Amino acid sequence: MSNGMTGCLAIFDLEPIGRNVFRGESPNPSLQPVFGGQLIAQSMIAASRTVQARVAHSLHAYFIRSGDPTVPITYEVEVLRDGKSYSTRRVVAMQNGRVIFSIIVSFHAGEQSAFDHQDIMPDVPPPEQVALDTLSKKSIFSELPEGVRRWYEPDRLIDLRLPPIELRPVEIGQYVGKKAKHSNIHFWMRIAEKLPEDPALHICALAYASDWSLLDAVMARYGRTVLKADDILGASLDHAMWFHRPFRADDWLLYAKDSPSAQGGRGLARGLIFKRDGTLVATVTQEAAIRERR
C-alpha cells in the first residue's frame, strides 16, 4: 500500500499489474479471513478503473472461498459490455491461482426519469443521541460484548482488527441477549475519514461498509449476535446492492436492516440505507450460511 495512506484510501489503493488486472492487499494480515466488504470494494475499484464517465448502480457478488489476508489478491476485470447508457464488468478475485470471489458490476451514464419514489426512512434517534456520552451512562453498556464497546472507544480507528467505519447501533438489547419481536435493527454509520470529491469512490466505500454486521439482522429475533456467539458459524454466501441517489459515505447514513427468512442453514438479510434528510441512497441484500457448532 502507498506510504501515508490510511483507512479506506489505503484499502482502495490497488496496483495495476497488467491490462485490466490489479493487485490489492489486506490492512491486517493477522486477521482471518479477509473481510467480505474489502473484496467487494476492491473489486469495484478495479472495475471502475475500466469505465469512463459512468458510476456503478448495482452489483451482484458471490463469496466462493475464504481469503487469506497474508496473500495479495489479484483482481481480473472482464469487459462484458459498453452500451449507449450502461457498461457491465465481471471481476474475479484470485489467490494462489484459485478464485475466491466473483462479482458483476453494472455502470450507468445517468439520465432523467418521470418516475421517482422511495420508501420512508424509519423514525429513529439521530446519531448524536446514540453516541458514547449517552450510551455509557446506561447500565447496559457494561454488559455489552467487548467487540461492541470497542466501536465507541477513542482509539478504535487505529485498531486494524476493525474496519475504518464509525458505527452507532440504535438497538443494543440483542447484544446482551434480549430477543427482538422482529428482525429490524438500525445502525448509523459513516466512513471514518474525509474522502475526496469522487462519487465513484463514495459508492465503493459504502459497498465496503455495507457488509459489516449485516448478519446480525438474522440473529436479532434470537437475542444473539455473531460478535458474542462462539457457538455460531456464519459466512456470507452472496451480496447484492443497488445505488439509487447521490450521497457521501463520510457523512452519517442510517442502515435499516431486517431478515425476512432463515431456514435450512441459511439466513437472508436486507437493508435500506438513508441520508440524514431521509433520502434513500441504496438497497442491500445478502444471504449467509449460518448454523450452530456441533
Side-chain angles (χ1 to χ4, degrees):
M1 297 183 185
S2 298
N3 293 332
M5 298 185 72
T6 60
C8 277
L9 292 180
I11 295 168
F12 298 166
D13 185 30
L14 302 186
E15 176 189 2
I17 57 174
R19 180 176 175 79
N20 296 342
V21 182
F22 305 86
R23 181 163 53 211
E25 298 182 6
S26 301
N28 185 359
S30 65
L31 184 62
Q32 295 284 345
V34 173
F35 173 46
Q38 174 187 326
L39 292 170
I40 296 170
Q42 288 183 337
S43 294
M44 291 187 67
I45 288 289
S48 297
R49 291 187 182 180
T50 70
V51 178
Q52 299 293 326
R54 297 177 180 187
V55 295
H57 73 89
S58 72
L59 64 90
H60 294 76
Y62 285 90
F63 300 95
I64 299 169
R65 295 182 178 89
S66 295
D68 183 349
T70 67
V71 177
I73 305 168
T74 300
Y75 296 93
E76 299 181 358
V77 183
E78 180 182 0
V79 178
L80 299 182
R81 178 175 182 265
D82 280 317
K84 185 176 181 179
S85 299
Y86 293 89
S87 294
T88 310
R89 301 291 187 265
R90 178 189 290 122
V91 185
V92 294
M94 303 185 67
Q95 283 185 326
N96 299 320
R98 299 201 306 172
V99 176
I100 64 171
F101 176 80
S102 176
I103 188 172
I104 290 181
V105 186
S106 183
F107 298 82
H108 187 208
E111 58 189 81
Q112 297 296 318
S113 173
F115 307 102
D116 191 344
H117 69 269
Q118 65 160 78
D119 276 0
I120 298 174
M121 185 174 78
D123 184 14
V124 301
E128 292 79 14
Q129 292 185 18
V130 288
L132 176 61
D133 57 352
T134 300
L135 183 59
S136 61
K137 296 175 183 177
K138 299 181 179 181
S139 59
I140 197 174
F141 185 74
S142 62
E143 303 176 42
L144 293 175
E146 180 183 354
V148 176
R149 292 200 309 271
R150 187 66 175 142
W151 294 344
Y152 294 91
E153 294 173 358
D155 65 340
R156 68 162 301 280
L157 298 181
I158 64 173
D159 186 346
L160 293 180
R161 295 173 299 174
L162 298 173
I165 308 167
E166 289 189 70
L167 295 167
R168 295 184 181 178
V170 176
E171 302 87 3
I172 58 175
Q174 72 172 104
Y175 297 115
V176 295
K178 294 183 179 180
K179 296 181 181 180
K181 292 182 179 180
H182 306 285
S183 59
N184 301 80
I185 59 175
H186 306 84
F187 280 76
W188 287 102
M189 67 178 184
R190 66 181 176 185
I191 296 299
E193 63 186 290
K194 192 69 172 178
L195 297 177
E197 299 287 340
D198 180 355
L201 185 61
H202 286 265
I203 286 174
C204 293
L206 185 59
Y208 173 84
S210 70
D211 187 49
W212 184 253
S213 196
L214 190 54
L215 188 55
D216 270 340
V218 180
M219 309 290 293
R221 295 173 189 255
Y222 310 93
R224 304 174 75 176
T225 168
V226 293
L227 293 174
K228 193 178 181 181
D230 294 334
D231 59 339
I232 294 175
L233 292 171
S236 300
L237 297 173
D238 57 45
H239 193 101
M241 194 166 185
W242 295 263
F243 304 95
H244 309 307
R245 297 171 180 86
F247 61 89
R248 290 192 63 92
D250 51 9
D251 285 341
W252 285 115
L253 299 167
L254 179 68
Y255 201 173
K257 312 173 189 180
D258 74 338
S259 175
S261 177
Q263 80 301 314
R266 303 190 312 277
L268 179 65
R270 61 188 176 187
L272 299 178
I273 302 177
F274 298 86
K275 291 167 58 174
R276 289 183 62 139
D277 65 4
T279 302
L280 177 64
V281 301
T283 299
V284 185
T285 63
Q286 184 181 92
E287 188 174 48
I290 182 168
R291 60 180 63 91
E292 293 184 315
R293 295 180 186 269
R294 296 180 179 177

